[in-house]
Amino acid sequence: MKILVCIKQVPDMESKFRIDAEGVWYDGSDLAWRMNEYDEFAVEQAVQVKEQQGGAADVTVLSIGPDRVKEMMKKALAMGCDRGVHIADAQSHRRDPFAIASIIAEFAGDKGFDMIFTGLQSQDRGSAQVGVLVAEMLDLPALSTAVDFAFADGIITAKRELEGGMKAVVKAGIPALVTCQLGLNTPRYPTLPNIMKAKKKELLSLEVGDLLKVENLLKTEKMYFPEKKGGGLVLEGEVGDLADQLIKILKDKTSVLA
Amino acid sequence: MKALLIGEYREGKLLASTYELVAFARKLGAETAMFLVGGEADLPRYDGTLYLADAAKHGEFSPTAHKRLLLEAVAREKPDTIVFSHSSYGWDLAPRVALALNAAQVSEVVDVVDGSLVIPSCNAKLRRNLSSTTAVTVVTLQSGAFGLDDEPAGSPALERVDVEATRGPEFAGYEVADKTGVDLTKAQIIVSAGRGIGKAENLEIVALLAAALGGEYGASRPVVDAGWADHNRQVGTTGQSVAPKLYVACGISGAIQHLAGMKKSDFVIAVNTDKDAPIGEVADVLAVADVKQLLPALTERLNSL
Ligand SMILES: Cc1cc2nc3c(=O)[nH]c(=O)nc-3n(C[C@H](O)[C@H](O)[C@H](O)COP(=O)(O)OP(=O)(O)OC[C@H]3O[C@@H](n4cnc5c(N)ncnc54)[C@H](O)[C@@H]3O)c2cc1C
Ligand SMILES: Nc1ncnc2c1ncn2[C@@H]1O[C@H](COP(=O)(O)O)[C@@H](O)[C@H]1O
């Protein structure tokens, strides 16, 4: 069984963001980078399928981005992926979901993957498009928003999460693509021995130019900070003072202490 | 400008979010028609053409069939904009339709400014204005971003759409949320724990503050996903929608899916180490502090009142 997992590196969302010189994306310097949260569930699910197959599966982890994404890919390898494919692209942040999906589909097209896992969405772009687009480009069934996953007899049974806590049980035969929602599983922490082992795993670099055959369909006019719409009172200072102030506010502004 | 609005239907009922699409089209100044895989028992209150496909025949979740049905309506209506909700239905179907039409897709639109579509980025800390370069554009709308000022009214002119049955992912039934345990929707005071509490043991300081205030504790999704709290305590789009007198968000960043579940609260206090956390946008008071320090101090004062 051949499995592909697509992962993206994103900034820590608690970072102080700045806008880049062209005004169309955030400035990439001085940010802490990590694996897109949704993609951790994708990696974990791929590795669990491999384990379920008694190891009889080969898991490729793929990421498009500048050199720094290799750091994150090593984490995926330490979690149990077998090999990495880094599609070197210093301009990946300028591409739209259609272009990113096209690159992945171009790579995966002739490889015969039985299962492809992606995150539901990336935390910085949040388009929730790439996974489903890749499936459509490759003419595979896509099960999106999975919070539960089982595989038996060539059939994937997933639970799609709907609004309000409801779920839909859906099935598709492999080959198929699954987009992973938060809570699908419990992503493992790489252990030290596995981190060491990961260093020896193959991490191939490909040039994006060889795989990119399309143009963006979207144009970013600008990126900016939203106007603060009011927002409330901001209290800063020593904890004891803050607690006193909050008690006063609860007394003055609410009826909960009455 | 001509927009085709994609309504949603679940368990035999039209979803009210369908009217948000109408509000968006008005803001865009577009003519509209609607498409729905639904049933005549619950039609949208809408004056215009409704391309109606039969949910009883095609199923409520059957992306391959829904895509083909929608493409049939598109061929007849020839819209330049196709509008979905950014929902489990919308983000599943929209990219399929966009690709088939060589259309650009803009996800999670929150506003339209001078013809460009505004979307949030990085947990709503940033915004982006996008424009499409394709003849047809597919958009999905953030839940709650557009609302009608008036009650929806009217009755649609029906146009039937049908296609041959197709194979694709198969739907095998719904599973409803477990409704046992605490009912947060009845609580007047809720103190919620977010990932910022750091570890399971710290849930207790949140629960103690809730008790000192005479309320219940709630949680954001990561806290529930990690198994630190039960799902019936989750606040947000995939949990409970609450409207208490007081909501205290502890170590919660304020992602839109969380805000959707608590923004109707009368008074909101946020405790967060990040002064720029988006929760600040809906909070009446943001106390910039570590939950592990501020909460016990607050609880102690409350208990000695
Ligand atoms: C389809 C969908 C549905 C979803 N449904 C829901 C839902 O129903 N409910 C929900 O909550 N989420 C939901 N989410 C997830 C949502 O997008 C966010 O990922 C989630 O709300 C983040 O939870 P959080 O704020 O606890 O964690 P984070 O976003 O990680 O925020 C943690 C916060 O804690 C602060 N912090 C860190 N340490 C401290 C400290 N010591 N003291 C004080 N503050 C600290 C940080 O500054 C940060 O702001 C959904 C997502 C999707 C895609
Ligand atoms: N640069 C990238 N490299 C590899 N995978 C990606 C990249 N961007 C997005 N993806 C995958 O597509 C998913 C959805 O991303 P998006 O459509 O940007 O919200 C992510 O969770 C990843 O699995």
Side-chain angles (χ1 to χ4, degrees):
Chain A
M1 163 124 48
K2 286 180 74 178
I3 302 175
L4 177 69
V5 197
C6 303
I7 65 173
K8 179 178 181 182
Q9 195 185 39
V10 297
D12 192 313
M13 293 301 139
E14 279 149 47
S15 306
K16 283 261 175 272
F17 289 98
R18 282 174 294 133
I19 307 295
D20 70 4
E22 290 98 306
V24 292
W25 196 241
Y26 53 79
D27 186 335
S29 54
D30 297 330
L31 291 174
W33 296 92
R34 47 166 294 169
M35 193 189 303
N36 181 39
E37 194 179 350
Y38 298 79
D39 302 350
E40 293 187 8
F41 297 95
V43 171
E44 175 64 30
Q45 201 57 57
V47 173
Q48 285 189 14
V49 173
K50 178 181 163 109
E51 288 168 348
Q52 189 206 343
Q53 302 299 307
D58 190 82
V59 183
T60 301
V61 59
L62 173 152
S63 187
I64 306 165
D67 261 354
R68 61 168 151 70
V69 310
K70 286 198 258 184
E71 230 13 77
M72 160 198 69
M73 296 185 73
K74 284 183 190 144
K75 178 177 177 189
L77 293 172
M79 285 171 77
C81 295
D82 296 292
R83 63 196 71 250
V85 174
H86 169 221
I87 299 176
D89 183 7
Q91 294 301 313
S92 60
H93 58 292
R94 290 279 192 278
R95 311 215 187 278
D96 66 8
F98 171 71
I100 295 288
S102 303
I103 296 167
I104 297 173
E106 185 69 28
F107 168 79
D110 58 358
K111 307 280 187 307
F113 290 109
D114 301 291
M115 277 185 210
I116 303 180
F117 292 97
T118 73
L120 167 64
Q121 61 180 17
S122 53
Q123 287 173 283
D124 57 351
R125 187 172 50 212
S127 82
Q129 293 178 34
V130 168
V132 179
L133 283 176
V134 168
E136 291 285 307
M137 287 169 179
L138 297 174
D139 203 16
L140 299 177
L143 300 178
S144 71
T145 333
V147 287
D148 192 75
F149 177 97
F151 176 64
D153 306 325
I155 309 269
I156 296 172
T157 303
K159 290 182 187 162
R160 295 192 73 226
E161 186 180 48
L162 312 178
E163 289 67 26
M166 200 154 130
K167 291 166 194 161
V169 182
V170 293
K171 292 173 191 285
I174 60 167
L177 182 144
V178 176
T179 82
C180 303
Q181 162 66 317
L182 304 171
L184 171 62
N185 48 42
T186 307
R188 69 194 67 191
Y189 291 104
T191 60
L192 194 59
N194 285 341
I195 293 171
M196 301 313 289
K197 259 195 244 161
K199 294 198 165 130
K200 300 204 187 69
K201 289 183 180 171
E202 177 183 288
L203 181 48
L204 190 72
S205 262
L206 302 178
E207 281 306 317
V208 69
D210 298 333
L211 295 165
L212 180 65
K213 306 272 157 77
V214 303
E215 304 266 336
N216 282 350
L217 303 181
L218 286 173
K219 188 170 170 293
T220 301
E221 276 149 14
K222 60 173 178 173
M223 181 176 252
Y224 52 99
F225 291 97
E227 235 175 89
K228 295 262 181 223
K229 278 210 205 74
L233 184 65
V234 178
L235 300 178
E236 286 176 280
E238 194 266 316
V239 167
D241 289 345
L242 290 179
D244 291 335
Q245 289 181 61
L246 287 177
I247 297 283
K248 183 160 169 13
I249 287 167
L250 287 175
K251 279 184 181 153
D252 295 350
K253 299 272 169 71
T254 77
S255 58
V256 302
L257 297 185
Chain B
M1 236 186 213
K2 207 166 173 191
L4 182 63
L5 314 178
I6 314 306
E8 274 188 51
Y9 195 77
R10 186 167 305 150
E11 291 189 297
K13 290 251 173 334
L14 182 83
L15 299 191
S17 56
T18 303
Y19 298 111
E20 297 179 10
L21 312 178
V22 178
F24 169 78
R26 278 192 196 162
K27 189 150 187 185
L28 206 60
E31 278 176 55
T32 63
M34 204 182 268
F35 168 85
L36 180 72
V37 184
E40 267 179 71
D42 196 4
L43 289 174
R45 283 167 283 151
Y46 169 72
D47 275 326
T49 305
L50 172 67
Y51 293 89
L52 184 68
D54 187 4
K57 173 173 174 192
H58 294 286
E60 293 179 5
F61 177 81
S62 171
T64 318
H66 287 209
K67 176 175 85 175
R68 292 190 44 199
L69 290 162
L70 176 45
L71 291 176
E72 171 65 26
V74 169
R76 276 151 68 178
E77 183 65 22
K78 301 190 176 57
D80 46 52
T81 311
I82 303 174
V83 191
F84 294 83
S85 297
H86 194 65
S87 61
S88 56
Y89 182 76
W91 65 62
D92 186 86
L93 190 55
R96 303 177 196 262
V97 172
L99 190 73
L101 295 169
N102 298 315
Q105 181 185 331
V106 183
S107 300
E108 216 188 346
V109 171
V110 293
D111 204 358
V112 204
V113 177
D114 302 329
S116 65
L117 298 164
V118 183
I119 60 165
S121 184
C122 296
N123 199 10
K125 282 193 165 181
L126 294 164
R127 283 199 168 186
R128 234 166 16 127
N129 289 10
L130 293 180
S131 58
S132 161
T133 64
T134 52
V136 178
T137 304
V138 170
V139 302
T140 66
L141 307 182
Q142 184 179 84
S143 162
F146 299 90
L148 286 179
D149 297 327
D150 46 353
E151 272 295 304
S155 49
L158 296 189
E159 289 266 347
R160 307 279 168 180
V161 266
D162 204 355
V163 292
E164 288 297 305
T166 43
R167 285 191 54 79
E170 191 188 317
F171 173 72
Y174 290 116
E175 207 179 88
V176 293
D178 181 11
K179 289 273 193 297
T180 57
V182 61
D183 183 1
L184 279 191
T185 60
K186 298 217 168 68
Q188 291 298 313
I189 297 168
I190 298 172
V191 184
S192 283
R195 179 152 41 201
I197 66 168
K199 53 181 180 188
E201 295 74 60
N202 290 338
L203 189 64
E204 196 185 352
I205 56 178
V206 176
L208 286 173
L209 176 58
L213 283 162
E216 282 291 347
Y217 73 91
S220 71
R221 177 168 186 144
V223 170
V224 172
D225 284 344
W228 302 349
D230 290 338
H231 183 262
N232 53 30
R233 296 197 183 261
Q234 180 177 315
V235 174
T237 35
T238 47
Q240 306 293 319
S241 277
V242 300
K245 282 192 204 150
L246 173 66
Y247 189 86
V248 187
C250 309
I252 293 177
S253 64
I256 176 70
Q257 296 89 358
H258 188 81
L259 300 187
M262 50 65 71
K263 65 182 177 207
K264 295 207 179 95
S265 307
D266 290 346
F267 199 82
V268 177
I269 297 178
V271 180
N272 202 301
T273 42
D274 180 5
K275 195 178 166 184
D276 299 322
I279 188 81
E281 279 292 297
V282 299
D284 296 281
V285 182
L286 168 65
V288 183
D290 186 332
V291 282
K292 296 187 287 298
Q293 292 170 0
L294 181 58
L295 266 55
L298 198 54
T299 304
E300 191 188 303
R301 281 166 179 73
L302 286 165
N303 285 339
S304 58
L305 277 184

